[in-house]
Amino acid sequence: MSLRTPLGQAKCLGSAKKGFHHWWAQRVTAVALIPLTIWFAYKVAVLSMSDYQTVSESIGSPWSAALIVSLIVAAFYHAALGMQVIYEDYVSNKAVRIAAIMATNLLLFLLATAATIAVLRIALGG
Amino acid sequence: MSSNNRPLSPHLDVYRLPLSALISIVHRGTGAFLTTGTIVLVWWLVALAGGEASFMGAQDFMSGFIGRLVLFGWSFALFFHLANGIRHLVWDAGYGFEKDEVEKSSFIVIGTSAFLTIMIWVVAFSSGAGV
């Protein structure tokens, strides 16, 4: 049963719209990012002064590559959701706001894809 | 209808921000900064995938003064956002809303992020000495 009016539903109005899914996805990615970022920050710190061979083998090992790809997906999704909220709060012009959100999403998608392909290439020895 | 005499909500510039409010806006700021900073992460991974020459180029930049400065700022932003993010998850679960609890967790967030930032650089420099 929905408590929303037919007109409200037709116009996609209502208290939350798709807010709950946004809110929840932000939390799920946040929880995933806690262990992933701590692990990755530690790994990068340990590897910070190593040579190419060592870094490449370490980043490209199957488990580590899988975790980094997971980190990339969670981090970029989390970033896209967060940036959307910032634009929604501070950009009052609707056209500019939608354009900014769209541009940010597309750019973050491109970055996430590039990072994933890079990790796969390291892992599979391109 | 005199709409001019209505009480106004407190404006941000007439009183000193409480610590919790300062942390709140810094959480947003670090979030946006980390989003921009993902470009560095992507660049580093792409350089690594590109082979030894491109990787060494990236490493040279990262170990230079500007590179170190960016990484230091980024590491603090990361740990701050992480620590305060965990505080947000605790709030989401319904705990820690009392005034004294918020005050205490504010200091825990600052302390934890400073500690983790120092620790990660200690790890970075001490592991470099062993190679």
Side-chain angles (χ1 to χ4, degrees), chain A residues 7-57:
Chain A
L7 179 63
Q9 282 184 346
K11 294 177 85 174
C12 279
L13 296 172
S15 57
K17 296 180 191 172
K18 290 179 179 152
F20 177 72
H21 178 256
H22 182 287
W23 185 90
W24 183 244
Q26 184 96 69
R27 266 68 191 169
V28 172
T29 50
V31 171
L33 283 168
I34 296 170
L36 287 172
T37 40
I38 292 173
W39 168 78
F40 187 68
Y42 179 76
K43 190 174 189 65
V44 170
V46 169
L47 291 172
S48 62
M49 298 189 195
S50 305
D51 58 11
Y52 169 73
Q53 203 63 30
T54 314
V55 176
S56 168
E57 274 167 20

Side-chain angles (χ1 to χ4, degrees), chain A residues 23 27 30-31 33-34 37-38 40-42 44-52 55-56 59 68 71-72 76 78-79 83 85-86 89-90 108 111-112 114-115 118-119 121-122, chain B residues 25 28-29 31-32 35 38-39 41-42 44-53 55-56 59 68 78-79 81-82 85-86 88-89 92 116 120-121 123-125 127-129 131:
Chain A
W23 185 90
R27 266 68 191 169
V31 171
L33 283 168
I34 296 170
T37 40
I38 292 173
F40 187 68
Y42 179 76
V44 170
V46 169
L47 291 172
S48 62
M49 298 189 195
S50 305
D51 58 11
Y52 169 73
V55 176
S56 168
I59 297 288
I68 295 171
L71 171 75
I72 290 164
F76 279 99
H78 190 81
M83 291 307 293
V85 175
I86 293 180
D89 282 353
Y90 303 128
L108 290 175
L111 286 170
V119 173
R121 189 169 169 188
I122 297 160
Chain B
I25 191 63
R28 281 211 155 169
T35 303
T38 55
I39 294 169
L41 172 68
V42 174
W44 187 75
L45 287 171
V46 169
L48 181 62
E52 185 156 12
F55 177 69
M56 291 322 284
Q59 287 296 82
R68 286 260 163 86
L78 180 74
F79 289 126
H81 201 83
L82 177 73
I86 292 171
H88 268 285
L89 291 173
D92 289 336
L116 288 174
I120 206 78
W121 285 87
V123 169
F125 280 108
S127 62
V131 174

